[in-house]
Amino acid sequence: MTSTPEDFAYPPDYDQFMREHHPQLMRLSIQRMRTVDDADDVLQGAAVRIFKKWEIVSAHPNPVALAREIVRKSCASHYRKIAAEERRVARYVRTLGQGQPVTTADDILALRGMERLDRAWAALEERAPRQAECVRLRYTEEMSNAEISVELGITVNAVKSSVHLGLASLRKAMENPSGEEES
């Protein structure tokens, strides 16, 4: 039995959905992954998951929010895979008796300036995930407060408050990276 192009056609509504929301999903992926190549890989994997669950996604009251959640989880999964691979390589190198892998100056320079921001984001996401998501949607996705309200299912005033408090927390964490109280 031979396959025809129609056997592999996407449902028209899936194709339209992905064309319409690809830029938004890509921005989310880039913000979380830091490199365009990794973000593109993650988004491709997320698009496959969205396609496999298309009946559920398309029937959801807010399909874009569900698709964004799939992208967020795909990003986290990508980092878990990288960490597992690094642990596996480190174990392998130790068994060879050569010690830990050597970090090069290029590795350090690639991360310059990101560490404080990453720590601030991680602290905010751990302490106040809604604030972190509101700030991310407002400034990375360039969504309005009303759009964020619909996306997260909260009031516009809650969005405004979360953005304000989230920015203040990030600013404080960036100004005082040690986390110590100032005298």
Side-chain angles (χ1 to χ4, degrees), residues 52-108:
K52 288 180 178 178
K53 298 178 180 186
W54 182 242
E55 288 183 21
I56 295 168
V57 172
S58 62
H60 192 272
N62 191 344
V64 176
L66 186 55
R68 290 174 55 77
E69 183 64 23
I70 290 170
V71 171
R72 280 192 290 275
K73 288 182 178 180
S74 294
C75 291
S77 177
H78 180 80
Y79 280 126
R80 280 193 298 275
K81 288 177 188 173
I82 289 172
E85 178 65 18
E86 287 175 355
R87 286 191 303 271
R88 188 189 68 73
V89 168
R91 279 194 306 270
Y92 176 74
V93 169
R94 279 195 302 271
T95 61
L96 294 177
Q98 297 177 357
Q100 293 290 332
V102 177
T103 302
T104 66
D106 290 338
D107 295 335
I108 294 169

Side-chain angles (χ1 to χ4, degrees), residues 15 31 36-37 39 42 46 54 81 89-90 100 120 126 147 150 152:
D15 192 42
Q31 198 280 326
V36 175
D37 291 336
V42 166
W54 182 242
K81 288 177 188 173
V89 168
Q100 293 290 332
E126 183 178 315
E147 291 170 326
V150 171
L152 300 179

Side-chain angles (χ1 to χ4, degrees), residues 95-155:
T95 61
L96 294 177
Q98 297 177 357
Q100 293 290 332
V102 177
T103 302
T104 66
D106 290 338
D107 295 335
I108 294 169
L109 288 174
L111 297 174
R112 183 180 56 207
M114 293 299 214
E115 185 178 348
R116 283 178 48 197
L117 178 60
D118 287 339
R119 279 195 307 243
W121 269 113
L124 183 60
E125 285 180 335
E126 183 178 315
R127 189 181 50 72
R130 180 180 289 166
Q131 289 177 12
E133 189 62 18
C134 285
V135 170
R136 179 174 282 117
L137 292 173
R138 182 73 180 99
Y139 293 101
T140 303
E141 297 296 321
E142 298 177 353
M143 295 172 88
S144 69
N145 291 338
E147 291 170 326
I148 297 169
S149 171
V150 171
E151 177 81 21
L152 300 179
I154 59 177
T155 67

Side-chain angles (χ1 to χ4, degrees), residues 17-33:
F17 177 84
M18 288 307 291
R19 287 179 194 274
E20 184 177 331
H21 299 289
H22 181 269
Q24 175 186 4
L25 297 174
M26 186 65 176
R27 282 192 307 271
L28 171 64
S29 186
I30 288 171
Q31 198 280 326
R32 291 191 174 253
M33 299 308 300

